[in-house]
């Protein structure tokens, strides 16, 4: 019996010694391999040369955006329409092969002049202004002006058009039984997108970037014949001035696509990406890349569900391969209720997020 105990102890000792040796040799080698990868190389793991060469401006046609603004009547509806598959949005700033989620925030005075600020978040903590839209009342008309961000589109990327203000109340009703006012200028609380990097509405699911040819063909479906280049004459003469809360916001890192007028920091980031690509830094590791490569892995989750590589809403880290909601175990999607964030109940013909 004593000899058996001694044999068992010796076997356990050998196992421990073997495991320790494996950790000190192979394991240590793996750790050093990870340390060798810089954060930039890790972010660049899935970026292709095509992404580096493609222009960001090709991903969201401002003419198409102007045409879309004529069809919507609220910032909430605009945000949803931009992020639905088969929309005019083909923007992929971070070059991960998936269309970026676009955030919309309303500002101004809903009864006379309203603004829609459109932004993207190519990486956690980085906000990039994409376009600024203003709609102003002119009698029975709604005067529209769209200005593209200077970094993405260059200077003087401006388009304008007009549409009927449609001040009457629609006979249609939303699911909550409220009448929907189709006018741009019906009083309503300003819509500020509640979503952010890694946290998106339940209706959104990441979809791949389409080819340039397919995108141009899709834009042909929009009636753009009345759209003119340049500033809206009525808004130019108007004394009502609005201040875009996101004007000038620039993502210093995370943008892989070519920009028309990049900042010096953006140029440096792009230069580093090119150097990393040419030196063979891309694809060195099969481990999940942070930042760019995994920016939208949480798409389609309910509000509060964290992505695989990001922290949860209030900072506690999520577990790899799993997700947790913030508000207990109910699994209820933010915005799935017919009464949540519905701008239609305030005079818009938009619909609730999450439906």
């Amino acid at each position: 019996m004593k000899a058996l105990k001694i044999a068992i102890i010796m076997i356990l000792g050998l196992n421990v010694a073997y495991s320790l040796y494996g950790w000190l040799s192979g394991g240590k080698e793996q750790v050093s391999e990870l340390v060798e990868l810089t954060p930039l190389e890790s972010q660049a793991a899935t970026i292709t040369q095509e992404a580096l060469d493609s222009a960001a401006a090709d991903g969201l046609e401002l003419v198409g955006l102007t045409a879309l603004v004529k069809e919507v009547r609220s910032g909430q509806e605009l945000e949803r329409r931009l992020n639905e598959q088969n929309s005019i949005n083909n923007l992929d700033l971070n070059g991960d092969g998936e269309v970026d989620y676009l955030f919309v925030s309303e500002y101004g005075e809903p009864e006379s002049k309203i603004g829609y600020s459109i932004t993207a978040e190519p990486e956690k903590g980085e906000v990039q202004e994409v376009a600024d839209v203003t709609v102003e009342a002119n009698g029975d008309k709604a005067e529209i002006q769209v200005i593209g961000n200077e970094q993405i589109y260059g200077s003087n990327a401006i388009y304008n058009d007009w549409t009927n203000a449609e001040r009457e109340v629609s006979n249609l009703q939303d699911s909550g039984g409220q009448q929907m006012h189709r006018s741009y200028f019906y009083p309503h609380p300003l819509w500020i997108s509640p979503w952010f990097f890694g946290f998106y509405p339940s209706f959104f699911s990441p979809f791949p970037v389409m080819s340039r040819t397919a995108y141009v063909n899709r834009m042909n479906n929009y009636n753009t014949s009345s759209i003119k280049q340049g500033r809206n004459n009525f808004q130019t003469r108007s004394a009502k001035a609005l201040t875009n809360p996101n004007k000038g916001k620039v993502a210093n890192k995370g943008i892989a696509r070519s920009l028309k007028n990049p900042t010096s920091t953006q140029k440096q980031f792009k230069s580093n990406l090119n150097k990393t690509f040419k030196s063979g830094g891309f694809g060195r590791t099969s481990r999940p890349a942070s930042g760019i490569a995994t920016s939208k892995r949480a798409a389609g989750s309910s509000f509060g569900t964290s992505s695989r590589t990001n922290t949860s809403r209030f900072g506690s880290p999520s577990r790899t391969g799993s997700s947790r909601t913030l508000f207990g175990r109910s699994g209820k999607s933010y915005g799935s209720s017919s009464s949540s964030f519905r701008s239609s109940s305030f005079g818009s013909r938009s619909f609730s997020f999450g439906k």
Side-chain angles (χ1 to χ4, degrees):
M1 190 68 178
K2 185 176 180 180
L4 180 60
K5 289 182 178 179
I6 294 175
I8 293 174
I9 293 174
M10 290 180 64
I11 292 173
L12 292 175
L14 288 173
N15 284 334
V16 171
Y18 180 78
S19 299
L20 183 61
Y21 173 78
W23 180 80
L24 291 175
S25 57
K28 186 175 180 180
E29 191 175 308
Q30 292 176 359
V31 172
S32 64
E33 180 184 352
L34 288 176
V35 172
E36 183 182 354
L37 289 174
T38 66
L40 181 60
E41 289 174 318
S42 179
Q43 290 176 347
T46 63
I47 300 175
T48 64
Q49 184 65 56
E50 180 183 2
L52 293 172
D53 295 337
S54 300
D58 291 339
L60 184 67
E61 292 282 358
L62 295 181
V63 172
L65 177 59
T66 308
L68 178 60
V69 171
K70 292 173 64 175
E71 299 179 6
V72 302
R73 293 296 181 270
S74 73
Q76 181 185 3
E77 186 181 4
L78 177 59
E79 182 168 334
R80 177 153 191 158
R81 291 285 299 275
L82 283 171
N83 293 295
E84 290 177 328
Q85 197 163 358
N86 302 321
S87 73
I88 66 167
N89 179 17
N90 197 42
L91 189 69
D92 177 24
L93 291 178
N94 56 25
D96 65 355
E98 294 176 352
V99 174
D100 294 337
Y101 188 91
L102 295 178
F103 307 87
V104 177
S105 297
E106 286 184 334
Y107 64 98
E109 302 174 1
E111 297 180 60
S112 58
K113 188 174 184 178
I114 189 75
Y116 304 134
S117 174
I118 302 174
T119 59
E121 296 183 14
E123 183 173 302
K124 186 176 181 180
E126 296 287 328
V127 176
Q128 174 65 51
E129 181 195 24
V130 176
D132 180 34
V133 180
T134 50
V135 182
E136 185 171 355
N138 177 17
D140 292 331
K141 294 181 179 180
E143 303 282 351
I144 301 169
Q145 179 172 275
V146 174
I147 302 178
N149 172 266
E150 185 176 354
Q151 279 79 49
I152 297 175
Y153 297 97
S155 59
N156 297 319
I158 306 173
Y159 295 87
N160 74 88
D161 203 348
W162 66 271
T163 188
N164 294 324
E166 298 176 328
R167 293 182 180 276
E168 76 277 9
V169 177
S170 171
N171 292 325
L172 299 175
Q173 292 185 337
D174 65 9
S175 58
Q178 301 292 325
Q179 288 182 315
M180 293 187 293
H181 299 262
R182 295 192 297 168
S183 172
Y184 276 111
F185 310 110
Y186 189 84
H188 65 272
L190 295 177
W191 167 260
I192 305 297
S193 180
W195 316 108
F196 50 91
F197 181 92
F199 292 81
Y200 308 108
S202 58
F203 78 82
F204 177 74
S205 181
F207 49 93
V209 175
M210 70 180 69
S211 68
R212 178 62 182 166
T213 300
Y215 181 68
V216 171
N217 289 336
R218 176 174 293 178
M219 290 301 96
N220 291 334
N221 296 328
Y222 284 84
N223 181 13
T224 60
S225 58
S226 62
I227 297 174
K228 301 179 179 62
Q229 190 167 11
R231 294 187 177 274
N232 182 284
N233 289 330
F234 178 81
Q235 290 197 29
T236 301
R237 297 192 304 268
S238 173
K240 296 177 181 176
L242 299 181
T243 302
N244 179 356
N246 294 309
K247 184 175 179 58
K249 286 191 176 180
V250 173
N252 292 318
K253 56 183 180 179
I255 299 181
R257 303 283 180 176
S258 295
L259 302 177
K260 293 288 183 66
N261 188 25
T263 64
S264 57
T265 305
Q266 289 172 332
K267 287 180 181 178
Q268 183 62 45
F269 180 84
K270 184 74 184 303
S271 175
N272 291 338
L273 284 180
N274 278 294
K275 289 178 182 177
T276 304
F277 188 91
K278 292 177 181 178
S279 64
F282 285 69
R284 286 187 180 180
T285 175
S286 61
R287 298 175 183 269
S290 62
I292 294 176
T294 58
S295 63
K296 294 186 287 294
R297 295 302 178 216
S301 63
S302 57
F303 180 75
T305 303
S306 63
S307 66
R308 294 179 183 176
T309 58
N310 290 307
T311 58
S312 66
R313 179 68 172 88
F314 296 109
S316 59
S318 61
R319 297 182 180 180
T320 303
S322 64
S323 61
R324 293 183 297 175
T325 59
L326 291 177
F327 305 112
R329 300 179 181 177
S330 64
K332 197 171 186 179
S333 296
Y334 184 85
S336 61
S337 167
S338 63
S339 62
S340 60
F341 279 97
R342 261 205 329 271
S343 64
S344 57
S345 61
F346 298 107
S348 165
R349 63 180 181 183
S350 71
F351 27 77
S352 300
F353 283 108
K355 287 187 179 179

